[in-house]
């Protein structure tokens, strides 16, 4: 796929499962990128049972000049996001890699601009703000608070910093450090890759222009079962991250212990919410992370005090306060 005249600069990986409602819009935005050469599009179908692949192929027909740049990898069964994303990474050939979710889209000049920034600054990773699309013309831009990407110990565990789709990453950084997705963990899977990329990169640049459109419905409240799955994945991710650090030099674990503790604390927060509320389990899960509550600067001070009180006050008093808070929120 790489020509002798121009090297393959970027692989765009799109993993999808039953995405027939959005895959065409996503693919159109990718095919319309201003880069005519030096780019490949790798679509990984994670065992879809709908018309996603058919619609994707029909969309690609509108762009005959992209024919040699498009690959579709069809997995025989649904294996989950982490597996599909890892498969895409293994199939990638570009100097840089990025991801695009099948229900999102990106503006035409995005990748050409980000690659120019990477080349000019010798960056291993280039990040941009993104645009949240809530439907009916409602949108907002989520921007970095500073043009200096935070050190890992200070990095918020949020979509802006932890996601892969608003960043391009030099593929050699991932390969040279054997960075892989944690198998079977399909929520926070991008964060599981990103924290090791942040450790391994020499230079990260933020380019303060939003290109990526992240689709989010106003009715995004998770069901009880979904909340339980997310909670389980978050806890498993915290375990996987700590286990990974345990295989590294002791000095590395000590250096990034604030990150590990903050990740553990954030992973269990859902144990204080809704039907999953279990104060006793919250206190017993990663209790060492509770000893540092007031040091978690990425959590507003007001909430740090609430968590501090939840850790120290009697069970009956905390549970009563949580019930009253939930009842107040329902009445509003």
């Amino acid at each position: 796929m790489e020509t002798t005249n121009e090297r393959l600069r970027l692989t765009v990986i799109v993993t999808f499962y039953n995405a027939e409602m959005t895959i065409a819009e996503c693919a159109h935005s990718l095919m319309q990128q201003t880069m005519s050469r030096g780019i490949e599009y790798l679509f990984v179908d994670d065992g879809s049972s709908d018309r996603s692949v058919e619609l994707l192929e029909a969309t690609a027909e509108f762009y005959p000049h992209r024919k040699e740049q498009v690959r579709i990898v069809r997995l025989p069964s649904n294996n989950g996001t982490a597996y599909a994303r890892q498969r895409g990474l293994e199939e990638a050939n570009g100097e840089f890699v990025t991801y695009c979710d099948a229900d999102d889209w990106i503006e035409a000049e995005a990748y050409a601009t980000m690659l120019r920034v990477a080349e000019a600054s010798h960056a291993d990773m280039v990040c941009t703000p993104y645009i949240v699309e809530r439907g009916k013309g409602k949108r907002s831009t989520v921007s970095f608070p500073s043009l200096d990407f935070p050190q890992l110990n200070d990095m918020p565990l949020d979509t802006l910093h932890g996601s892969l789709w608003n960043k391009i990453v030099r593929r050699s950084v991932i390969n040279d450090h054997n960075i892989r997705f944690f198998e079977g963990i399909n929520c926070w899977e991008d964060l599981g890759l990103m924290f090791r990329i942040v450790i391994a990169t020499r230079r990260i640049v933020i380019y303060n222009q939003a290109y990526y459109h992240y689709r989010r419905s106003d009715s995004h409240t998770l069901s009880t079962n979904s909340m339980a799955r997310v909670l389980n994945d978050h806890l498993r991710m915290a375990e996987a991250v700590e286990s990974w650090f345990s295989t590294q030099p002791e000095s590395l674990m000590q250096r990034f212990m604030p990150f590990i503790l903050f990740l553990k604390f954030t992973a269990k927060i859902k144990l204080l919410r809704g039907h999953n509320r279990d104060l006793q389990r919250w206190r017993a899960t990663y209790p060492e992370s509770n000893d540092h509550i007031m040091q978690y600067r990425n959590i507003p001070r007001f909430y740090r005090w609430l968590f501090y009180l939840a850790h120290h006050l009697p069970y009956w008093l905390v549970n009563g306060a949580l019930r009253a808070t939930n009842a107040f929120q329902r009445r509003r």
Side-chain angles (χ1 to χ4, degrees), residues 201-237:
T201 49
R202 296 166 302 170
R203 179 166 171 76
I204 301 173
V205 171
I206 294 174
Y207 185 69
N208 198 26
Q209 175 65 49
Y211 298 110
Y212 192 92
H213 293 256
Y214 171 64
R215 195 191 307 266
R216 183 174 183 180
S217 170
D218 283 333
S219 56
H220 60 272
T221 303
L222 294 175
S223 66
T224 299
N225 288 338
S226 297
M227 184 78 80
R229 287 195 297 270
V230 171
L231 170 63
N232 182 59
D233 270 3
H234 284 186
L235 294 175
R236 291 178 62 204
M237 180 59 72

Side-chain angles (χ1 to χ4, degrees), residues 159-215:
T159 302
L160 182 64
H161 295 82
S163 290
L164 293 163
W165 36 251
N166 66 326
K167 304 172 180 71
I168 62 169
V169 180
R170 193 178 299 276
R171 190 164 60 92
S172 62
V173 171
I174 297 173
N175 290 342
D176 292 349
H177 294 85
N178 194 29
I179 301 173
R180 299 175 58 86
F181 287 90
F182 292 118
E183 186 174 349
I185 305 178
N186 297 310
C187 186
W188 268 5
E189 81 287 344
D190 43 3
L191 177 63
L193 201 77
M194 185 55 59
F195 87 91
R196 286 170 288 170
I197 291 173
V198 171
I199 291 174
T201 49
R202 296 166 302 170
R203 179 166 171 76
I204 301 173
V205 171
I206 294 174
Y207 185 69
N208 198 26
Q209 175 65 49
Y211 298 110
Y212 192 92
H213 293 256
Y214 171 64
R215 195 191 307 266

Side-chain angles (χ1 to χ4, degrees), residues 103-312:
D103 55 349
D104 299 334
W105 70 96
I106 190 162
E107 295 178 14
E109 68 274 20
Y111 296 137
T113 302
M114 295 171 77
L115 285 167
R116 282 198 298 270
V117 171
E119 185 170 356
S121 60
H122 305 286
D124 288 330
M125 182 163 71
V126 175
C127 319
T128 66
Y130 65 93
I131 301 161
V132 179
E133 298 284 352
R134 297 184 181 274
K136 299 180 180 179
K138 293 189 294 184
R139 61 177 50 165
S140 59
T141 299
V142 179
S143 299
F144 289 92
S146 166
L147 293 184
D148 293 321
F149 196 88
Q151 298 294 317
L152 186 60
N153 284 337
D154 300 318
M155 191 178 88
L157 307 181
D158 57 8
T159 302
L160 182 64
H161 295 82
S163 290
L164 293 163
W165 36 251
N166 66 326
K167 304 172 180 71
I168 62 169
V169 180
R170 193 178 299 276
R171 190 164 60 92
S172 62
V173 171
I174 297 173
N175 290 342
D176 292 349
H177 294 85
N178 194 29
I179 301 173
R180 299 175 58 86
F181 287 90
F182 292 118
E183 186 174 349
I185 305 178
N186 297 310
C187 186
W188 268 5
E189 81 287 344
D190 43 3
L191 177 63
L193 201 77
M194 185 55 59
F195 87 91
R196 286 170 288 170
I197 291 173
V198 171
I199 291 174
T201 49
R202 296 166 302 170
R203 179 166 171 76
I204 301 173
V205 171
I206 294 174
Y207 185 69
N208 198 26
Q209 175 65 49
Y211 298 110
Y212 192 92
H213 293 256
Y214 171 64
R215 195 191 307 266
R216 183 174 183 180
S217 170
D218 283 333
S219 56
H220 60 272
T221 303
L222 294 175
S223 66
T224 299
N225 288 338
S226 297
M227 184 78 80
R229 287 195 297 270
V230 171
L231 170 63
N232 182 59
D233 270 3
H234 284 186
L235 294 175
R236 291 178 62 204
M237 180 59 72
E239 293 172 5
V241 169
E242 184 173 44
S243 177
W244 180 84
F245 272 107
S246 71
T247 67
Q248 306 302 307
E250 177 67 21
S251 59
L252 194 72
M253 175 175 276
Q254 292 305 315
R255 177 184 173 189
F256 293 114
M257 185 56 66
F259 167 75
I260 298 170
L261 290 170
F262 181 57
L263 178 67
K264 288 180 175 181
F265 186 82
T266 306
K268 67 177 185 173
I269 280 179
K270 284 183 173 58
L271 286 169
L272 295 180
R273 295 177 181 170
H275 298 293
N276 286 298
R277 187 175 67 243
D278 187 336
L279 178 59
Q280 189 167 357
R281 185 184 172 196
W282 178 79
R283 288 183 175 179
T285 302
Y286 301 133
E288 67 276 14
S289 68
N290 287 2
D291 295 333
H292 303 269
I293 289 173
M294 300 309 294
Q295 298 174 24
Y296 301 141
R297 290 174 293 177
N298 289 317
I299 299 176
R301 184 181 296 273
F302 172 76
Y303 289 103
R304 276 183 276 166
W305 275 111
L306 290 181
F307 289 131
Y308 180 85
L309 294 175
H311 178 59
H312 289 282

Side-chain angles (χ1 to χ4, degrees), residues 24 27-28 31-32 54-67 70:
H28 275 299
M31 300 297 106
Q32 292 169 6
E54 178 185 344
L55 293 171
L56 173 59
E57 291 175 335
T59 303
E61 289 295 322
F62 285 96
Y63 305 92
H65 62 290
R66 298 288 191 191
K67 182 177 180 180
V70 176

